[in-house]
Amino acid sequence: MSAVIPVQSSHTDRSAPAKRWTVSQIDALFALPFNDLLYRAQQVHREHFDANAIQRSTLLSIKTGGCSEDCGYCSQAARYQTGLERDELLPLDEVLTAARAAKESGASRFCMGAAWRGPKQKDLEQVIEMVREVKSLGLETCVTLGMLKDGQAEQLKDAGLDYYNHNIDTAPEFYGKVIGTHSQTDRFDTLGKVRGAGINVCCGGIIGMGESRRMRAALIAELANMEPPPESVPINHLVQVEGTPLAEAAPLDPFEFVRTIACARITMPTSYVRLSAGRQEMSDELQALCFLAGANSIFYGDKLLTTGNPETDRDRGLLDRLGMKAV
Ligand code: SAM
Ligand code: DTB
Ligand code: SF4
């Protein structure tokens, strides 16, 4: 087995070209005995990070529901009857109240999400104001607004935006089965604009949508082969939302989710790997395994965008019990 899995040389210099990973190499990582895979992930993790430190980001949905897109997992797509109430873009003062509360409870980054295919210029101007003001509270800023047009990333950068979240979600061969209103190529186009403007990239995907292991490997390969790989890699477990096409997706073996985290860690040694959506449905023990596999970031606060996340008290308790500290 080890013949097909090269040992990664350490890659701390982000200016040097990263190693390219083939899908087969990552598939071979997935196929390792669980303990061997986690051991490798731990070695890589400890080479680049404090293995007991965790970064915390708080999410806020600044514009909820009514989205034109057809993403098969999403509660916010207008075309699915998910029972979600639509909201217009939140006023600045509500956003700032939430950002202050996030800072107070210990988050280092505040991430604002909008259910858009992409922002219209007049909406972008309001978001830019939010970014400026949130940043002035001493928080890192992140937004996820959908696809960007030329010039929009630069405007966000000028406002002081630190991260743009834009996921590629799944393997290229599975993308069209989940989403029909835009392509993965469109997503890469926006990621290029974000990178080009000098904004940090937050890009990951969703596991548990009925994809095969090979497809999970292909998703990780696409992420790891970005030049450079994303600074932040959210690995979401599908949250099954009633009314969406993926509400009845077949359950995933939880160890397969842990393996995905480990593969992300090994192939993207210097990136923050975020254990993202789906934590509320996970046991403390499963989350601890994800941290052992190299996840070193979480969404913190009792709501994601429209679905639940563990209460902050539960998270504080978990991190305490594991002897982990926030960064
Ligand atoms: N509309 C923008 C976009 O699509 O990029 C921003 C918001 S969208 C909700 C952000 C990401 O949330 C999606 O790309 C997807 O990875 C994740 N997501 C949405 N619904 C989810 C669900 N039910 N379970 C897991 N992840 C989900
Ligand atoms: C990401 O990868 N996960 C977050 C964030 N980026 C924007 C969103 C998760 C959404 C989960 C479903 C919901 O709450 O609507
Ligand atoms: Fe719209 Fe984003 Fe949901 Fe897709 S994931 S339906 S683009 S809000």
Side-chain angles (χ1 to χ4, degrees):
M1 187 64 72
S2 57
V4 290
I5 309 167
V7 174
Q8 272 291 88
S9 59
S10 76
H11 180 64
T12 39
D13 177 5
R14 295 193 68 88
S15 62
K19 176 197 179 307
R20 278 195 73 80
W21 286 88
T22 66
V23 177
S24 294
Q25 284 169 343
I26 299 175
D27 212 15
L29 286 177
F30 266 98
L32 284 171
F34 189 75
N35 289 347
D36 291 348
L37 176 59
L38 260 64
Y39 181 61
R40 279 199 54 174
Q42 268 285 297
Q43 284 178 310
V44 173
H45 194 184
R46 284 165 185 273
E47 227 179 283
H48 300 278
F49 289 100
D50 174 348
N52 301 304
I54 200 121
Q55 186 275 331
R56 297 178 296 180
S57 295
T58 293
L59 271 173
L60 176 70
S61 180
I62 57 170
K63 189 269 171 185
T64 305
C67 184
S68 64
E69 303 305 279
D70 70 349
C71 310
Y73 46 78
C74 190
S75 63
Q76 306 200 68
R79 66 193 69 203
Y80 309 135
Q81 306 306 312
T82 63
L84 188 72
E85 260 184 52
R86 294 178 190 191
D87 265 329
E88 294 306 309
L89 189 54
L90 289 183
L92 180 62
D93 60 335
E94 276 185 45
V95 175
L96 291 180
T97 302
R100 280 190 203 100
K103 189 174 182 201
E104 189 74 10
S105 47
S108 64
R109 189 176 309 157
F110 192 66
C111 180
M112 296 166 269
W116 289 321
R117 175 180 164 86
K120 297 192 182 77
Q121 185 56 30
K122 82 170 183 3
D123 293 326
L124 189 71
E125 278 158 23
Q126 289 188 60
V127 174
I128 279 172
E129 212 37 49
M130 294 172 190
V131 169
R132 277 214 183 88
E133 295 285 331
V134 170
K135 188 143 174 104
S136 73
L137 299 176
L139 282 159
E140 287 184 318
T141 52
C142 175
V143 296
T144 180
L145 313 173
M147 294 180 283
L148 297 178
K149 296 194 182 64
D150 284 344
Q152 292 188 320
E154 285 74 12
Q155 294 176 57
L156 287 163
K157 174 71 182 170
D158 289 347
L161 183 70
D162 297 300
Y163 288 81
Y164 195 88
N165 166 246
H166 200 62
N167 293 339
I168 55 166
D169 281 325
T170 194
E173 63 270 36
F174 196 54
Y175 199 86
K177 298 228 158 42
V178 179
I179 299 159
T181 46
H182 56 262
S183 67
Q184 203 178 61
T185 308
D186 294 328
R187 302 293 281 187
F188 276 106
D189 180 60
T190 288
L191 289 166
K193 292 184 164 88
V194 170
R195 201 38 104 198
I199 300 169
N200 292 310
V201 170
C202 172
C203 181
I206 308 179
I207 308 302
M209 299 196 290
E211 75 285 345
S212 63
R213 173 180 275 185
R214 181 105 188 154
M215 289 171 185
R216 287 187 276 282
L219 165 68
I220 299 296
E222 280 195 297
L223 293 166
N225 290 335
M226 288 184 194
E227 286 179 13
E231 282 75 14
S232 168
V233 181
I235 304 292
N236 296 277
H237 191 297
L238 174 70
V239 179
Q240 290 173 276
V241 178
E242 220 179 297
T244 63
L246 285 172
E248 305 298 334
L252 178 77
D253 176 357
F255 295 131
E256 194 62 21
F257 186 78
V258 180
R259 284 178 185 278
T260 310
I261 301 259
C263 289
R265 167 52 62 223
I266 292 166
T267 58
M268 291 171 273
T270 61
S271 304
Y272 277 84
V273 175
R274 184 171 308 118
L275 171 56
S276 301
R279 277 201 310 119
Q280 197 175 34
E281 291 74 23
M282 292 178 195
S283 67
D284 290 349
E285 296 88 334
L286 178 56
Q287 293 184 61
L289 272 181
C290 291
F291 299 141
L292 194 63
N296 58 352
S297 168
I298 54 172
F299 284 123
Y300 185 64
D302 56 10
K303 207 169 173 198
L304 291 166
L305 291 173
T306 67
T307 66
N309 197 44
E311 302 284 335
T312 51
D313 282 352
R314 178 181 162 197
D315 278 346
R316 282 204 195 103
L318 176 60
L319 297 183
D320 272 356
R321 285 160 66 211
L322 298 175
M324 296 183 81
K325 57 181 181 295
V327 286

